[in-house]
Amino acid sequence: MEVISGYISHIIFRNEDNGYTVFEFVSGSRDDPLVCVGTFRDVSEGETAELTGEYTEHRIYGEQFLVKGYEAKRPKDEEAVIRYLGSGAIKGVGQALAKRIVAAFGEDTFRIIEEEPERLSEIKGISEKKARAIAVQAAEKRELRRAMLFLQKYGIGGALSLKVYRRYGEGLYQILSENPYRLAEDIEGAGFKTVDEIAKNAGIRPDSDYRVRCGTLYALKDALSEGHCYLPKDVLLDKSAELLGVDREMIWIQIQNLAMDKKVVIKEQEGTVCVYESSFYRLEQLCARKLMDLNVILENDEAMVDRRITQLESSLKLRLDKMQRIAVKKAVTNGVTVITGGPGTGKTTIINMILKYFESEAENIFLCAPTGRAAKRMSEATGYEAGTIQRLLHLTPQAGGNGYYYEKNEDEPLEAELVIVDEMSMVDISLFSALLKAILPGTRLVLAGDTDQLPSVGPGAVLKDITGSGCFENSTVILKKIFRQAGESDIIVNAHRINNGEHIELDNRSRDFFFLERDNIDQILNNIVILTRDKLPAYVKATPFDIQVLTPMRKGVLGVETLNPILQRYLNPPSPGKREKEVAGAVFREGDKVMQIKNNYQLTWEVRSRYGIAVDTGEGVFNGDTGIIKEISDYSETITVEYDGGRLVDYPYDGLDELMLSYAITIHKSQGSEYPAVVIPLFNGPSMLFYRNLLYTGVTRAVKCVVLIGSRERIGHMIDNADEHRRYTALDLRLKELEGMDREADGFI
């Protein structure tokens, strides 16, 4: 590591969101200013500092100094004091005023500002109020720098250190020395493993109560990322013991203490003791209560409803089958209607008929889906405007950028007579609870989806729990019949066979369902490239970027991490006219197909006119949204991605962990999407990743063509393997509990 001293002469670029800064630094050891780069908080031109780091060579901008450590120093001479004060570091003090202050106090200026700030009012142009303001600013900067240096000793740097300082202020010193595990509970981004390392440096014992409590909560929160809403006691004890390396009895004592503090809920369910992170127990309760409140029988003349449907059939020149007609009638007569079925079973026809039925009677009808892609498909299929659930609820960032909230809620509900939600299998418990909060009793709610699709990425199995509870039997329609036109597609026929556990014909006599048997990885990789780049685009009349490779795995020779660089090389090869950015071993290139891999409600987007003027703006880019890299700028340190609808999003270089190449994606990530053609390699990998509804979900993503490549035996194994990854959810139990209480209150039991 090199150490250099000097002052900041000019700030070239600064990202206020993340602190990434490029500046020129004048050091006595050099004739020319040195360009320095790094992440800093509150640095100013004119500031004297000592930098620790290393020299690097940028392929465009030449020599730079990558700053790893920064320590502000008090200016040593009058010229340096003037340079700092006159730089704008202290608001209200310019170059002329800085010279007058230094002329009066000389090298004693900083001591005066810190210890006798009232004396600044002796200077012409400085009132007592302004003198105090200057002193406060100087003290704040000094305290922030002191905190940053202190946090660096614990391995906390960058954006996390600023979050810690903003959250605790001067209290951070006591917290870091006594209970650094509070960071994991209070500050987003401070995960248990990071905090555990800090605690180790602070000398906290491995068996301390703080550590055991924090580690147990971390194990529960980690389970949320796997889709669970709770964990059985024994599963949680095993996970926590493995993480913490302490006795299970000690962990159980702290779980009970956490329950007393209302951080967790311990509940016996069907003979098993279960532990919830408290907020998710409340979410299940809330969803159950709201659904039961909405689930009322609405007064309607059945004969009149039948006549109205018949009239619509005549005017629209279509005929509903028995189950479709029942579904429409249930939507008219019930507060909550659930419509489930696989592809080609007529869900869209039912939704269209419901819309036609109510369009002359209901003023406010809302159509929504959990993702932008699913909402777009809903709009195309119905001709009605549809949006994401988040947009329907007016998702809004909190002041200061700390989280988000929904403007539509219990206090400001939706003014709606009918709400239709499509792709319900993708809706997690958190999003569903937010939607239910904004819907008043008396509003009709129609939930449409496929219970055999993969469950939501987030915690919960909402649609499956609702149908499995038995509480909505009278308002649920399960569609099984494949209609004639859909039945002409082997994609749909085979999807239903797969879902029923029936083996499918792999004889390539189909026009839209193909199998290439290959037993060599190199052959499989070669075929994927040829199909994606050369064969399928012409066959389905699409571009190579419209063809989607789907795989069960992230890792491995046929996983996402291997396939994406290969496909990038052939579909978007490097060229002198395309700029690139390498991040953690991955290369992003202009023209690349990319995907957002986490919900980011604060990311702003805009739609621009042909002249570059923003004509529409908004916030929020969601997990699974795919786009194309339009521009990479080393000057502004950003990558610009264009999403559906011409939405342009600028990603700072240090925010690229939210993007991945998406020439190949996991089948999980494809939920809610449709593609002209999909290519699915199925050869080797962990058996636990090859199961029936994963294959079913992958196949049903294709509109015009499916190609399976690999092992016939592997495909047969997937169809036979009906085991799914068990999700610990209990919305169905909450519904049954409420139904029992409601029936008891009504005198039925």
Side-chain angles (χ1 to χ4, degrees):
M1 285 286 191
E2 301 281 346
V3 178
I4 57 176
S5 298
Y7 67 91
I8 299 173
S9 59
H10 174 55
I11 293 179
I12 299 171
F13 171 77
R14 179 169 175 79
N15 186 316
E16 294 297 338
D17 292 331
N18 56 45
Y20 181 83
T21 309
V22 181
F23 60 80
E24 290 182 343
F25 191 75
V26 175
S27 174
S29 60
R30 297 174 58 96
D31 295 330
D32 300 321
L34 175 65
V35 174
C36 299
V37 296
T39 301
F40 311 95
R41 295 295 168 184
D42 198 38
V43 295
S44 308
E45 290 181 357
E47 192 163 278
T48 301
E50 182 178 273
L51 310 181
T52 304
E54 57 190 28
Y55 291 95
T56 62
E57 190 70 24
H58 192 281
R59 63 187 180 87
I60 295 176
Y61 299 114
E63 185 185 41
Q64 293 183 343
F65 191 75
L66 182 60
V67 182
K68 300 294 182 66
Y70 180 99
E71 184 175 356
K73 297 289 187 179
R74 179 174 290 188
K76 294 181 179 179
D77 54 50
E78 293 184 7
E79 182 182 348
V81 176
I82 293 171
R83 185 168 56 237
Y84 175 68
L85 290 178
S87 68
I90 304 293
K91 292 180 182 177
V93 179
Q95 193 74 21
L97 185 53
K99 288 180 179 178
R100 292 204 300 273
I101 294 172
V102 175
F105 302 116
E107 294 182 11
D108 204 28
T109 297
F110 273 99
R111 190 194 65 77
I112 295 294
I113 292 174
E114 293 172 2
E115 299 176 11
E116 301 178 74
E118 67 280 357
R119 289 189 57 191
L120 291 173
S121 61
E122 298 172 12
I123 309 298
K124 183 179 179 182
I126 300 181
S127 64
E128 288 186 10
K129 182 178 179 182
K130 189 168 186 176
R132 287 193 298 271
I134 292 171
V136 167
Q137 288 185 64
E140 287 176 347
K141 288 176 178 289
R142 186 175 65 255
E143 182 54 41
L144 175 58
R145 289 196 186 94
R146 184 168 80 94
M148 297 296 119
L149 288 171
F150 177 80
L151 292 169
Q152 282 179 10
K153 296 176 184 176
Y154 289 92
I156 306 174
L160 182 56
S161 62
L162 189 68
K163 287 182 181 179
V164 173
Y165 179 73
R166 285 177 173 169
R167 176 68 174 82
Y168 301 123
E170 293 189 23
L172 68 88
Y173 305 102
Q174 183 177 354
I175 289 167
L176 263 292
S177 62
E178 293 180 358
N179 179 20
Y181 290 101
R182 274 190 57 186
L183 273 65
E185 295 184 36
D186 297 343
I187 298 173
E188 185 179 355
F192 174 78
K193 292 180 180 178
T194 300
V195 175
D196 203 31
E197 192 62 33
I198 296 168
K200 190 183 299 182
N201 294 337
I204 303 295
R205 295 193 334 271
D207 62 349
S208 76
D209 291 351
Y210 293 137
R211 182 172 186 267
V212 176
R213 286 165 62 96
C214 185
T216 303
L217 285 174
Y218 172 81
L220 265 182
K221 289 179 179 177
D222 187 55
L224 299 177
S225 69
E226 298 174 3
H228 305 301
C229 289
Y230 69 88
L231 286 178
K233 171 186 171 182
D234 287 340
V235 174
L236 177 57
L237 289 176
D238 287 344
K239 285 174 68 77
S240 301
E242 182 180 356
L243 176 70
L244 296 164
V246 299
D247 185 74
R248 286 164 55 100
E249 185 60 35
M250 183 182 297
I251 296 169
W252 179 238
I253 290 171
Q254 291 307 321
I255 289 173
Q256 294 174 85
N257 289 338
L258 285 167
M260 292 176 65
D261 292 340
K262 299 187 177 179
K263 295 289 183 68
V264 304
V265 172
I266 301 172
K267 185 173 178 65
E268 184 170 336
Q269 298 175 169
E270 299 183 321
T272 301
V273 176
C274 303
V275 184
Y276 285 83
E277 197 271 330
S278 293
S279 62
F280 278 84
Y281 181 71
R282 290 194 294 271
L283 287 177
E284 285 191 343
Q285 284 186 312
L286 183 146
C287 288
R289 181 72 273 169
K290 293 287 186 180
L291 278 171
M292 298 303 280
D293 289 345
L294 288 168
N295 189 33
V296 296
I297 302 298
L298 302 170
E299 292 296 328
N300 279 283
D301 184 320
E302 188 173 348
M304 183 275 291
V305 173
D306 272 320
R307 286 196 302 272
R308 175 81 175 122
I309 293 173
T310 301
Q311 291 169 357
L312 286 170
E313 285 179 314
S314 177
S315 64
L316 296 172
K317 297 181 180 178
L318 64 82
R319 185 168 183 80
L320 301 176
D321 89 322
K322 178 182 176 182
M323 294 307 296
Q324 288 178 316
R325 192 180 189 92
I326 289 172
V328 176
K329 289 173 67 176
K330 286 184 182 296
V332 174
T333 57
N334 289 282
V336 176
T337 305
V338 183
I339 303 167
T340 73
T345 55
K347 294 192 297 293
T348 300
T349 299
I350 293 169
I351 289 172
N352 276 317
M353 182 62 80
I354 293 170
L355 289 169
K356 292 296 182 184
Y357 190 101
F358 284 106
E359 68 178 356
S360 61
E361 299 180 12
E363 293 184 8
N364 295 309
I365 298 175
F366 293 111
L367 279 69
C368 58
T371 68
R373 294 165 295 152
K376 182 181 178 183
R377 285 175 46 212
M378 196 179 190
S379 293
E380 293 169 348
T382 63
Y384 287 76
E385 182 182 355
T388 62
I389 298 172
Q390 294 91 338
R391 178 164 277 197
L392 174 65
L393 300 179
H394 297 189
L395 184 76
T396 305
Q398 296 275 15
N402 297 318
Y404 63 93
Y405 69 98
Y406 294 106
E407 290 185 2
K408 294 297 180 181
N409 49 42
E410 303 101 321
D411 300 322
E412 190 66 35
L414 293 167
E415 295 181 4
E417 281 84 19
L418 171 64
V419 176
I420 302 177
V421 187
D422 199 12
E423 295 288 359
M424 262 302 297
S425 65
M426 296 176 64
V427 178
D428 64 34
I429 192 76
S430 299
L431 185 58
F432 193 52
S433 68
L435 176 64
L436 292 178
K437 284 179 186 178
I439 298 178
L440 290 172
T443 304
R444 289 177 172 85
L445 175 64
V446 176
L447 308 175
D450 183 352
T451 54
D452 294 312
Q453 294 281 2
L454 293 171
S456 58
V457 174
V462 174
L463 182 61
K464 191 166 286 189
D465 278 354
I466 291 172
T467 56
S469 70
C471 299
F472 298 87
E473 285 183 341
N474 294 329
S475 55
T476 296
V477 176
I478 301 173
L479 305 170
K480 296 182 179 179
K481 177 181 176 181
I482 304 174
F483 288 90
R484 184 184 63 80
Q485 187 174 1
E488 295 172 1
S489 165
D490 286 318
I491 296 173
I492 291 175
V493 171
N494 283 338
H496 283 271
R497 285 176 178 163
I498 290 167
N499 195 38
N500 293 331
E502 302 170 19
H503 283 231
I504 55 178
E505 294 293 331
L506 299 172
D507 53 14
N508 289 331
R509 294 179 181 177
S510 170
R511 292 177 298 174
D512 62 5
F513 199 102
F514 302 97
F515 170 61
L516 303 181
E517 187 164 17
R518 301 289 185 270
D519 60 5
N520 179 281
I521 291 294
D522 289 337
Q523 284 183 329
I524 293 173
L525 293 173
N526 184 53
N527 285 170
I528 290 172
V529 171
I530 291 172
L531 285 165
T532 307
R533 184 187 62 186
D534 305 324
K535 300 294 186 182
L536 287 175
Y539 189 71
V540 298
K541 297 180 174 56
T543 71
F545 279 43
D546 295 321
I547 312 304
Q548 188 62 57
V549 178
L550 302 178
T551 173
M553 304 169 291
R554 282 199 54 78
K555 300 183 181 297
V557 291
L558 292 176
V560 167
E561 294 177 4
T562 300
L563 290 171
N564 268 317
I566 293 172
L567 289 165
Q568 180 192 44
R569 187 188 316 153
Y570 289 98
L571 297 181
N572 187 36
S575 74
K578 295 177 182 175
R579 284 167 288 196
E580 299 179 355
K581 172 63 179 174
E582 184 175 347
V583 181
V587 174
F588 291 108
R589 183 176 299 134
E590 289 177 339
D592 272 337
K593 180 179 176 181
V594 293
M595 173 181 281
Q596 172 80 13
I597 59 173
K598 62 174 73 171
N599 289 334
N600 187 325
Y601 302 98
Q602 276 78 49
L603 266 181
T604 58
W605 55 261
E606 62 183 31
V607 178
R608 298 169 191 160
S609 70
R610 58 187 295 188
Y611 303 107
I613 299 171
V615 295
D616 189 18
T617 61
E619 292 176 321
V621 183
F622 303 108
N623 189 0
D625 284 354
T626 57
I628 301 294
I629 294 178
K630 305 301 288 185
E631 183 182 9
I632 297 176
S633 171
D634 282 329
Y635 177 74
S636 62
E637 303 279 347
T638 58
I639 286 183
T640 302
V641 178
E642 182 175 7
Y643 290 102
D644 285 345
R647 295 176 298 138
L648 295 168
V649 177
D650 293 329
Y651 290 84
Y653 278 178
D654 67 350
L656 297 181
D657 59 338
E658 296 189 5
L659 281 181
M660 62 169 276
L661 295 175
S662 62
Y663 300 100
I665 62 175
T666 62
I667 295 172
H668 277 89
K669 287 288 187 185
S670 72
Q671 291 179 87
S673 297
E674 284 187 346
Y675 310 98
V678 300
V679 178
I680 308 177
L682 300 169
F683 187 59
N684 57 12
S687 296
M688 61 182 291
L689 295 178
F690 292 82
Y691 52 95
R692 183 185 299 166
N693 77 335
L694 193 75
L695 178 59
Y696 171 73
T697 300
V699 166
T700 55
R701 299 308 91 204
V703 176
K704 296 180 180 179
C705 183
V706 169
V707 182
L708 307 181
I709 307 179
S711 163
R712 189 182 300 267
E713 289 74 22
R714 176 64 75 176
I715 295 169
H717 166 76
M718 289 187 79
I719 294 171
D720 291 337
N721 182 15
D723 294 336
E724 297 178 37
H725 298 302
R726 167 72 192 276
R727 283 203 171 191
Y728 296 113
T729 66
L731 176 59
D732 55 343
L733 298 182
R734 302 289 87 78
L735 287 164
K736 290 175 185 176
E737 289 169 357
L738 281 177
E739 184 181 53
M741 286 190 288
D742 289 348
R743 289 171 62 83
E744 185 175 1
D746 291 337
F748 290 110
I749 55 177

